Amino acid sequence: MTYDDTIGRLPTPCYYYNLELLDATLKNVAEESSRYPGFHLHYAVKANANPVLLKRISSFGLGADCVSGNEVLRALECGFPAGKIVYAGVGKNDREIETALANDIFCFNSESLPEVEVINNIAGRMHKTARVALRVNPNVDANTHHYITTGIEENKFGIYLYDLERVIGAVQKLSHIELIGLHFHIGSQITDMNVFRSLCLKVNEIQEKLRRQGITFPHINFGGGLGIDYDRPYGEPIADFKSYFETFARFYEAPPLQQIHFEPGRAIVAHCGDLIAKVLYVKEGKKKKFVVLDAGMNDLLRPALYQAFHKIENIASDKPEEKYDVVGPICESSDCFGKDVLLNSVSRGDTIVIHSTGAYGEVMASQYNLRELPGTFYTG
Ligand SMILES: *Cc1c(COP(=O)(O)O)cnc(C)c1O
């Protein structure tokens, strides 16, 4: 991203969104997916639920992938048609299920039989039929440990493979549920296409096994997870959607007429946003220099939450580089954006850019320490 002179005058901390880059990204993802008939996109709203961005995203024809009732409502408000909204999450409460049913969303991605039973009951009460896809935990990484059935670490997501046929059988008996497909989402920030290839092969295997028992589905959903290059925000600002869709087209053996759904989040919005902060103080220790920003972990949680890396730049200085720990003002040691970061020599008042924070940035902001929420600014 390039910045004009106004950036130094913005009230900070604030998220700075490049809508031109967002449009270019959306144009690219729409084009690359449209090469393959039957591919459908649902933007994962949890990555960034800012209405300005959501309206742009819906205008390019994408659907929405939501993980709460409020996200469903936000998506509807921002122009996503109900018929393109999918709703995932391990724990949907009754009110959220009612909201989704009342608005006739396309599909619930459900992760357990008890939840499908509750959806069935609520749908019955509302005289509706709920479309459901079962989220499967395909255990893709554990492929090599095929014969080890104990001691496999199960995470809370999805229905386990050993249980899938039983759950399908039980769901098919529910009178207010239409079981339309399977759903997979194996993780996030995946840049190695071999991982998606493994997912395709695993899903081929699962579907073939089910087909032999006469079970076929009109829909399949591969979730999200495509990663971006956090190291080089100026390098490839648009994620590699071409290779991503190519991988599925090549390795996934879709039954005739099956519709194939994807839920990209991060790859759509991450590079389109930066967090802009100002330097409050430069503090010199014996061995280290600290840059204390006016932005903290309440504004951008990713580094504190999972030691995520974001490229940091001092755009106010062209003096020689020095090493700094870049920290926020919050009373937590984890309130640190980067250690031993090379920045052009820093002075109080300099404008600092924390790059590629458009995904899982603003949405996770809180008022911890009773701070203000970060502002927003748009360009392009
Ligand atoms: C988080 C999430 C996504 C989006 O993941 P990204 O890595 O941001 O693409 C998609 N689907 C589901 C079910 C999710 O939970």
Side-chain angles (χ1 to χ4, degrees):
M1 217 190 268
T2 47
Y3 305 93
D4 57 30
D5 300 342
T6 57
I7 194 165
R9 296 198 293 270
L10 292 177
T12 54
C14 79
Y15 279 93
Y16 186 86
Y17 291 113
N18 181 342
L19 299 178
E20 209 175 306
L21 178 57
L22 179 62
D23 283 355
T25 305
L26 290 164
K27 187 164 172 281
N28 182 274
V29 73
E31 269 173 22
E32 293 301 340
S33 62
S34 69
R35 291 180 204 284
Y36 307 102
F39 278 25
H40 303 272
L41 303 176
H42 308 266
Y43 164 70
V45 173
K46 78 172 192 280
N48 192 321
N50 178 317
V52 175
L53 277 65
L54 288 182
K55 284 175 193 161
R56 293 268 175 142
I57 295 168
S58 68
S59 77
F60 278 78
L62 281 77
D65 163 39
C66 302
V67 290
S68 72
N70 285 344
E71 280 194 3
V72 171
L73 293 174
R74 175 73 63 89
L76 289 166
E77 280 160 25
C78 293
F80 293 92
K84 290 186 182 179
I85 294 179
V86 296
Y87 176 16
V90 283
K92 306 170 185 76
N93 68 37
D94 293 17
R95 196 164 38 84
E96 292 177 306
I97 293 167
E98 283 161 17
T99 298
L101 282 169
N103 286 287
D104 282 320
I105 64 158
F106 169 59
C107 185
F108 290 86
N109 294 326
S110 190
E111 313 208 5
S112 69
L113 181 55
E115 187 187 77
V116 185
E117 287 168 345
V118 169
I119 296 173
N120 180 61
N121 290 340
I122 296 174
R125 206 196 314 133
M126 294 171 73
H127 307 289
K128 301 235 178 206
T129 300
R131 284 170 297 275
V132 166
L134 292 175
R135 177 169 178 179
V136 180
N137 183 333
N139 217 2
V140 161
D141 282 340
N143 241 352
T144 48
H145 306 289
H146 196 72
Y147 297 104
I148 306 170
T149 52
T150 56
I152 293 176
E153 203 180 69
E154 291 175 348
N155 69 39
K156 71 176 177 181
F157 296 106
I159 292 157
Y160 311 115
L161 281 178
Y162 65 79
D163 212 14
L164 183 57
E165 285 158 42
R166 179 187 72 89
V167 174
I168 290 173
V171 170
Q172 283 172 333
K173 292 199 187 87
L174 300 172
S175 47
H176 302 285
I177 300 290
E178 185 190 352
L179 181 58
I180 63 167
L182 299 179
H183 172 259
F184 303 84
H185 172 74
I186 54 172
S188 205
Q189 185 49 19
I190 299 165
T191 51
D192 178 0
M193 294 302 146
N194 287 314
V195 175
F196 293 117
R197 177 176 168 271
S198 302
L199 174 62
C200 290
L201 301 182
K202 190 74 186 188
V203 175
N204 291 344
E205 213 178 281
I206 294 167
Q207 280 205 136
E208 176 54 22
K209 195 167 170 229
L210 292 171
R211 193 191 59 79
R212 276 190 255 116
Q213 300 167 55
I215 302 168
T216 56
F217 294 111
H219 296 273
I220 196 100
N221 186 330
F222 286 106
L226 178 62
I228 61 135
D229 188 350
Y230 280 102
D231 293 320
R232 295 165 56 239
Y234 295 105
E236 304 272 352
I238 299 181
D240 190 2
F241 294 113
K242 184 171 192 290
S243 305
Y244 177 69
F245 294 121
E246 256 170 24
T247 302
F248 287 92
R250 188 161 158 220
F251 295 107
Y252 173 58
E253 291 160 12
L257 300 180
Q258 191 183 56
Q259 302 300 298
I260 302 170
H261 301 258
F262 299 93
E263 302 169 338
R266 183 193 312 274
I268 305 275
V269 289
H271 277 317
C272 303
D274 289 336
L275 180 62
I276 312 296
K278 289 233 176 56
V279 176
L280 292 177
Y281 305 105
V282 180
K283 195 174 151 180
E284 305 214 8
K286 269 211 177 98
K287 292 191 189 132
K288 273 184 181 282
K289 283 186 179 175
F290 293 93
V291 170
V292 183
L293 299 181
D294 61 359
M297 64 190 280
N298 72 300
D299 302 298
L300 174 66
L301 188 59
R302 298 186 72 249
L305 184 62
Y306 21 66
Q307 278 148 16
F309 171 84
H310 288 278
K311 195 152 176 82
I312 303 173
E313 188 184 0
N314 180 1
I315 60 165
S317 157
D318 49 15
K319 287 177 245 160
E321 285 182 332
E322 294 184 56
K323 257 187 200 167
Y324 302 92
D325 280 13
V326 180
V327 302
I330 309 274
C331 305
E332 299 282 348
S333 320
S334 60
D335 185 27
C336 174
F337 294 112
K339 290 202 153 77
D340 294 325
V341 182
L342 276 174
L343 296 174
N344 294 102
S345 186
V346 178
S347 317
R348 174 172 161 84
D350 282 359
T351 301
I352 302 291
V353 174
I354 305 181
H355 286 281
S356 312
T357 52
Y360 307 107
E362 190 191 343
V363 269
M364 287 195 195
S366 78
Q367 291 199 293
Y368 186 40
N369 286 195
L370 289 189
R371 286 164 52 84
E372 300 289 330
L373 287 172
T376 47
F377 184 83
Y378 308 91
T379 180

